[in-house]
Amino acid sequence: MRVGVLADLQTAHVGPAERRAISTLMAQRPDVILVAGDLFQGDAAQRRAVRPALRELLGRLHARGGVYAVQGDAELHTDLADLLVGTDVRVLEDAAVERTIGDRRVLIGGNRLRWAPDVARALRQQLMDADPSVVRILLAHRPDVVLALPTDAAIDLTVAGHTHGGQVALPIYGPLVTFSSVPRSVAAGGLHEVAGNRIYVSTGVGLVRQQAPQVRLGARPSVGLVVLR
């Protein structure tokens, strides 16, 4: 099963970089697409201006197992829902959806931005309590959610974004700043294991805006593809 991952477009306009990211992801023929939040960052006027182009761009996301998203730091839930009108993207708010992909049943749960409340914990417990024959995937914006899982939790894969791979990373040392409590190597992006739990952290497509430096150094933007066998 091919799981496509898109995170942190974090843009106020749609240009060649954003279009290339979507085209690259769709060229991988994912069976399911997970969108880990932070699609837009800007003010209300910028959101109104970019809304038609962003809806058209996100409307290109299709997968036979569905396309699912969670809210990021940069957007209110209402903003995210508004940007996704007319697309196939479904927002998961501490909720799970079960799909059949090929000969496998897949249970995908999405945590809201805050993963500590009872309803968020209940969603993760629902995944862990599922039949072992079901592929269980947890989607969240921040990778810190993996720290809330018990050791060797019965969740096959957690997917997150948020860190941008540090956005600025040095050889050997890695990311200078991650704004996450997961180990630096995990925040740098890619597929890792934390206390027996597999997690894929996307380095994301865009840049943190507003007060942050508009630069990436040593932390390449990316879309992701995780193949579950």
Side-chain angles (χ1 to χ4, degrees):
M1 185 174 68
R2 300 166 67 83
V3 180
V5 180
L6 175 70
D8 303 292
L9 272 178
Q10 213 142 336
T11 187
H13 73 283
V14 173
E18 289 78 16
R19 294 188 181 95
R20 185 166 58 250
I22 300 300
S23 296
T24 300
L25 178 60
M26 293 306 300
Q28 305 308 307
R29 298 176 290 106
D31 295 304
V32 63
I33 297 175
L34 304 181
V35 183
D38 276 4
L39 296 178
F40 166 82
Q41 187 170 17
D43 60 31
Q46 289 172 317
R47 182 166 61 83
R48 287 193 297 271
V50 78
R51 180 167 51 196
L54 202 49
R55 284 177 175 173
E56 186 277 330
L57 181 72
L58 299 172
R60 293 168 55 191
L61 296 175
H62 303 283
R64 61 174 178 160
V67 185
Y68 305 98
V70 291
Q71 174 193 1
D73 288 282
E75 63 231 339
L76 299 173
H77 163 69
T78 52
D79 295 339
L80 180 60
D82 179 60
L83 291 174
L84 296 176
V85 170
T87 75
D88 285 347
V89 185
R90 175 177 174 180
V91 180
L92 297 177
E93 296 185 293
D94 295 322
V97 60
E98 184 173 318
R99 298 297 301 268
T100 299
I101 300 176
D103 61 351
R104 299 302 300 272
R105 287 189 298 146
V106 183
L107 186 64
I108 301 169
N111 262 163
R112 296 176 191 246
L113 189 57
R114 301 187 184 281
W115 62 90
D118 290 345
V119 65
R121 291 199 298 269
L123 178 276
R124 296 192 295 273
Q125 192 63 52
Q126 178 185 351
L127 293 178
M128 290 185 284
D129 289 343
D131 190 296
S133 67
V134 176
V135 178
R136 293 148 293 184
I137 300 175
L138 173 63
L139 174 62
H141 177 62
R142 299 183 187 180
D144 302 65
V145 71
V146 76
L147 303 177
L149 297 178
T151 300
D152 297 319
I155 292 177
D156 298 295
L157 177 68
T158 297
V159 171
H162 177 65
T163 68
H164 297 245
Q167 201 158 295
V168 175
L170 300 180
I172 301 177
Y173 183 79
L176 298 181
V177 179
T178 66
F179 296 106
S180 173
S181 296
V182 298
R184 188 181 303 275
S185 60
V186 176
L191 185 63
H192 299 272
E193 191 170 291
V194 177
N197 298 308
R198 297 183 189 90
I199 180 169
Y200 177 82
V201 180
S202 172
T203 62
V205 175
L207 300 166
V208 176
R209 298 184 179 272
Q210 296 172 339
Q211 304 303 315
Q214 303 295 290
V215 63
R216 272 187 183 264
L217 178 64
R220 296 182 63 184
S222 70
V223 294
L225 182 72
V226 182
V227 180
L228 303 181
R229 302 185 187 277

